[in-house]
Amino acid sequence: MEYRQLFEMKERPSLLGFGCMRLPLLPGGDRGDIDYERSQNMIDEAIANGVNYFDTAYGYLDGQSEIFVGKALKKHPRDSYYLATKLPMGRIDSYEQGMKIFKHQFEKLQVDYIDFYLFHGINKTVFDEKILKFGLLDEMIKMKEEGKIRNLGFSFHGSYEDFKYILNYRKWDFCQIQYNYMDTNIQAGDRGVALAEKLRVPLVIMEPVKGGSLASFAPAAEKIFKDYAPDKSLASWAVRWVASHPGIAVVLSGMSTEEQVRDNLDTFNHYTPLSDEEQAVINRVAAEIRSSIRNGCTGCAYCMPCPFGVDIPRNFAIWNEYGMYVRAERAKEELNRLDAAKWADKCRKCGKCEKACPQELPIREDLVRMFAEISAL
């Protein structure tokens, strides 16, 4: 396993970080019904193979992720891993509420300190109108001085200009952004990666495989990779692309199966940066994908719940799968498996979802397009 101690960072996190937002669930379970046995085994295997960075958040898996992670890591020495979690800014409307949640997180995680603490999913508006207005930045700096927090940062969803404003506001210990070979000009993007390196702020990368979208796609794009390197998984190309950039401390992977854990371990325990020739292969694949995918939904579910019951991520997943695989029967089957009350045609165009979307997608327009195309198959 490769470890990167970047800039002024004292810690040496593993290049592969274990994201705990997509842990396996019990058969037929809801988002909070974590399969503890499988998930524990996956984390144990990751640790045995050198992974030492584990990322969760207050709201992941209906609030159950932190509880599971606290229990799962309890069997390992506290100084053998780094724990990252986040203050859920979308749920906070006062200083008191923020500190109440902060205290609750320590109870859920069963720890005395948090190695990497983040303000969750922020942009300039959230930073100014919540973090600064409520005094939460000053309070978290105080918590760092008291040893409750080892490193203070933020996870970001917004424009590059917002990112530039926040990153320059103070000397952050690290920050977390979305970045992959399909989203180089979205949110912080290439310019954000370059700015963070210039300011010597280590980066943690989320969505390197774009919510799984870069792990499987249209046959024509897949063939480009397989012709070049038959034994490499599609996901391995995506995570190596991210890791090959300067200033990247951790590449997060939200692993939900044992196979994903082993594939990532194989990639990072034998990690080599991309060559120029391999970069050219990725460029060809990216061009092919752009010609077939319908929209850029990652399935993060920040748009949910919909006031009218539409399952926005699921509708878009069906649409994008059809665009990438062009399998009409499968698309119709998947739509019919979804409760009709959650179909895209139930959208009433209120716009709440678009305000919450990290990808800034035209969700209302895309829901109309999705339903028209899939229902006509």
Side-chain angles (χ1 to χ4, degrees), residues 66-257:
E66 283 184 327
I67 296 173
F68 164 76
V69 170
K71 292 180 178 178
L73 294 178
K74 199 73 174 177
K75 63 184 291 187
H76 299 278
R78 183 62 185 92
D79 60 358
S80 68
Y81 62 85
Y82 301 122
L83 177 61
T85 195
K86 311 172 188 76
L87 190 65
M89 300 312 304
R91 304 187 183 200
I92 293 172
D93 55 19
S94 68
Y95 166 84
E96 290 76 16
Q97 188 178 29
M99 296 312 297
K100 180 179 179 181
I101 290 176
F102 180 73
K103 180 180 178 181
H104 188 208
Q105 289 180 289
F106 281 84
E107 296 170 358
K108 293 169 70 179
L109 292 164
Q110 302 180 58
V111 293
D112 296 322
Y113 65 90
I114 295 169
D115 302 280
F116 291 84
Y117 196 71
L118 305 91
F119 294 107
H120 195 181
I122 70 171
N123 54 25
K124 184 178 185 297
T125 300
V126 173
F127 186 70
D128 286 344
E129 297 182 6
K130 290 192 174 186
I131 296 171
L132 297 184
K133 181 180 178 180
F134 300 153
L136 291 171
L137 178 58
D138 289 340
E139 189 64 35
M140 293 307 150
I141 292 173
K142 180 182 176 182
M143 292 297 101
K144 183 182 174 185
E145 292 171 350
E146 293 180 2
K148 290 286 187 179
I149 296 171
R150 298 289 174 87
N151 294 275
L152 179 61
F154 62 93
S155 72
F156 178 78
H157 289 303
S159 68
Y160 169 73
E161 292 304 321
D162 281 10
F163 183 72
K164 181 179 179 181
Y165 168 78
I166 297 169
L167 202 65
N168 276 289
Y169 189 86
R170 69 179 302 271
K171 176 59 177 174
W172 298 94
D173 298 313
F174 73 109
C175 69
Q176 183 170 311
I177 64 170
Q178 174 179 314
Y179 194 49
N180 57 67
Y181 66 73
M182 292 298 295
D183 293 335
T184 57
N185 295 311
I186 293 176
Q187 298 189 30
D190 287 341
R191 291 185 296 170
V193 171
L195 179 63
E197 183 188 12
K198 178 181 177 181
L199 297 178
R200 298 178 63 81
V201 179
L203 286 174
V204 174
I205 303 299
M206 56 184 161
E207 303 289 3
V209 193
K210 198 172 172 63
S213 295
L214 303 183
S216 61
F217 33 72
E222 182 174 337
K223 186 175 185 299
I224 296 171
F225 277 146
K226 291 302 182 182
D227 284 349
Y228 185 85
D231 296 331
K232 289 183 180 178
S233 71
L234 305 185
S236 72
W237 284 90
V239 294
R240 284 181 62 223
W241 181 88
V242 171
S244 296
H245 288 74
I248 308 299
V250 178
V251 180
L252 289 175
S253 178
M255 293 173 267
S256 56
T257 68

Side-chain angles (χ1 to χ4, degrees), residues 274-288:
L274 290 175
S275 66
D276 290 342
E277 185 176 344
E278 287 174 320
Q279 179 62 63
V281 172
I282 286 182
N283 292 343
R284 289 173 55 204
V285 169
E288 181 64 37

